[in-house]
Amino acid sequence: MTENPKHLLNSIPEPSRPSKIPKTQDHNDQEEEEDKQQEESNMSKNPRIQRYLIAIEYIGTRFSGSQQQPNCRTVVGVLEDAGVHALSNVCHVDVERISKRKPGEVLPPHEPSVVRRAVNHFLQKNEGDIMVIDVRSVPNDFHARFKAQERTYFYRLLSGSEPLSTFEKERAWHVPEKLDLHAMQEACKVLVGHHDFSSFRAAGCQAKSPIRTLDELHVSEVPATPYFPSVTDKEQSNSSLEDFQACSKPQVDRPINSFSNSDDVIDANVKTNQEFGIRRRHQCYVVTARARSFLYHQVRLLVGVLKCVGTGELTTSDVERILNAETVTAASPMAPACGLYLGRVKYDLP
């Protein structure tokens, strides 16, 4: 008995269709969402605990990183990367205030300003290279890592043949060669945006995806030492003051025959004497990198490539080739940690 072909067609089940096409997410969003769910499952639900968001500055030279490590002094251990500094790094802590006089009695939480002063009091008793710069009370479900909207890093390079100043050691990367600022700025344009940054991802990176969006990458020249005025700054300031005073005083004509060739010699000697003992300044360049999150050693690998562009070892085309290679072996040697500063972690605070 033959079957009806039409009946066979009707008996074939239609392929199942999803009721709704899922919205695509950025790889970084997926990773953070998974980590956030895991963290929330481990989060304390004790309503008596007050959570504080704490901003910290520190010199990272004598730290071995920010994660707890046995037998090492770390930011977490006493409080990023080993040797990296922070103008403002952020963490959260949970505090339950218990009465000393009546054990078991829970007291109202401390004001943030009290927490800041108390913590700094104990920190300064030790090495003194870490300090709390701000404290804010936040809800118990506020997470310093997952609530961060963007992070900004700065990297300092000092260019010049002179040896690095004692005050700058472990604070910047000393590059003896001259750097081409325009070439480095052009190379930054290649790297900004949404890319696969596998070429700028060090071994040991735990991120599940190398895809990141680099919102800003820029190189600028700044004063080498922002804390003290240079001799040139002083001379310009004194010159402006003298010009102002000269305009406010009556002018006295000097006889023509009173000028002599010895005036030039005196001026030259004075200038030479003024320069004695004054250290020559390096040219200081700052690389600014801003993104929601970064891969392991991403900023230092980016700076390593930009430095090679500045010295002429690489071109903008080479930077494109390195980015498209999608392997860290294609990148230039990584910049040292000493020049890297975590500048800011941005939040939308409640």
Side-chain angles (χ1 to χ4, degrees):
M1 180 179 177
T2 60
E3 295 185 355
N4 188 340
K6 184 176 180 180
H7 176 73
L8 285 174
L9 290 174
N10 292 336
S11 64
I12 298 176
E14 293 185 5
S16 59
R17 297 180 180 179
S19 59
K20 187 177 181 180
I21 299 176
K23 182 180 179 181
T24 58
Q25 284 185 301
D26 183 79
H27 292 280
N28 187 39
D29 293 340
Q30 293 178 352
E31 291 177 23
E32 291 200 357
E33 185 62 30
E34 293 173 2
D35 292 341
K36 182 179 179 180
Q37 292 175 358
Q38 179 64 32
E39 184 70 22
E40 287 178 347
S41 64
N42 299 330
M43 190 179 298
S44 173
K45 303 297 182 180
N46 190 342
R48 303 186 304 178
I49 290 179
Q50 174 63 58
R51 175 161 292 191
Y52 296 97
L53 193 67
I54 299 182
I56 312 161
E57 66 176 12
Y58 52 83
I59 298 297
T61 305
R62 290 182 289 178
F63 290 110
S64 299
S66 63
Q67 302 300 318
Q68 185 80 44
Q69 299 178 35
N71 303 321
C72 289
R73 185 170 183 256
T74 69
V75 177
V76 170
V78 293
L79 190 179
E80 303 297 321
D81 216 357
V84 174
H85 316 296
L87 304 177
S88 180
N89 199 352
V90 182
C91 65
H92 66 256
V93 296
D94 295 330
V95 178
E96 183 178 23
R97 187 184 176 195
I98 304 296
S99 173
K100 292 183 179 180
R101 297 180 179 179
K102 298 180 180 180
E105 180 183 355
V106 180
L107 301 177
H110 285 296
E111 290 295 321
S113 59
V114 175
V115 175
R116 177 184 175 183
R117 290 196 302 269
V119 174
N120 282 334
H121 173 75
F122 289 102
L123 289 176
Q124 297 311 303
K125 283 186 174 181
N126 296 304
E127 301 291 343
D129 47 7
I130 181 171
M131 178 176 286
V132 174
I133 60 176
D134 206 355
V135 178
R136 180 76 65 90
S137 298
V138 293
N140 285 358
D141 60 349
F142 191 95
H143 198 285
R145 175 187 171 192
F146 301 125
K147 291 291 186 179
Q149 295 182 333
E150 68 178 24
R151 296 166 175 86
T152 301
Y153 281 92
F154 301 111
Y155 195 100
R156 296 182 70 231
L157 301 100
L158 292 178
S159 171
S161 58
E162 289 287 318
L164 203 61
S165 167
T166 302
F167 297 101
E168 290 286 9
K169 287 184 178 179
E170 304 298 335
R171 303 290 190 275
W173 184 11
H174 180 212
V175 180
E177 303 91 344
K178 290 185 177 180
L179 296 175
D180 186 335
L181 177 60
H182 177 71
M184 291 190 291
Q185 290 174 339
E186 290 299 310
C188 288
K189 297 177 183 178
V190 176
L191 298 166
V192 169
H194 190 72
H195 302 290
D196 182 330
F197 282 102
S198 294
S199 296
F200 301 93
R201 178 190 193 186
C205 180
Q206 298 180 358
K208 298 177 182 178
S209 170
I211 307 297
R212 289 294 184 271
T213 300
L214 189 57
D215 297 310
E216 179 184 359
L217 186 65
H218 184 261
V219 186
S220 56
E221 185 174 2
V222 300
T225 307
Y227 306 106
F228 304 101
S230 66
V231 173
T232 304
D233 296 334
K234 289 180 179 178
E235 289 177 350
Q236 291 176 348
S237 177
N238 292 337
S239 177
S240 300
L241 179 60
E242 290 172 359
D243 291 343
F244 173 78
Q245 292 173 343
C247 293
S248 60
K249 292 181 179 180
Q251 297 296 319
V252 178
D253 293 334
R254 186 179 182 184
I256 297 177
N257 59 5
S258 66
F259 290 95
S260 66
N261 294 333
S262 62
D263 291 340
D264 295 335
V265 177
I266 294 174
D267 290 342
N269 290 336
V270 171
K271 184 177 181 181
T272 303
N273 292 338
Q274 288 179 343
E275 290 179 349
F276 176 77
I278 302 299
R279 169 179 283 278
R280 292 184 181 179
R281 293 291 187 90
H282 292 84
Q283 287 183 289
C284 183
Y285 300 93
V286 173
V287 179
T288 302
R290 179 172 55 86
R292 181 177 178 183
S293 64
F294 292 89
L295 299 169
Y296 185 48
H297 287 169
Q298 181 180 351
V299 177
R300 291 170 58 187
L301 285 164
L302 289 169
V303 173
V305 167
L306 292 177
K307 175 262 182 184
C308 289
V309 172
T311 57
E313 301 170 60
L314 296 175
T315 64
T316 302
S317 299
D318 292 325
V319 176
E320 293 182 11
R321 173 183 54 79
I322 292 171
L323 179 64
N324 295 330
E326 298 182 0
T327 173
V328 71
T329 57
S332 304
M334 183 167 57
C338 60
L340 185 59
Y341 296 74
L342 175 55
R344 185 192 180 195
V345 184
K346 183 180 177 181
Y347 296 93
D348 183 12
L349 293 175

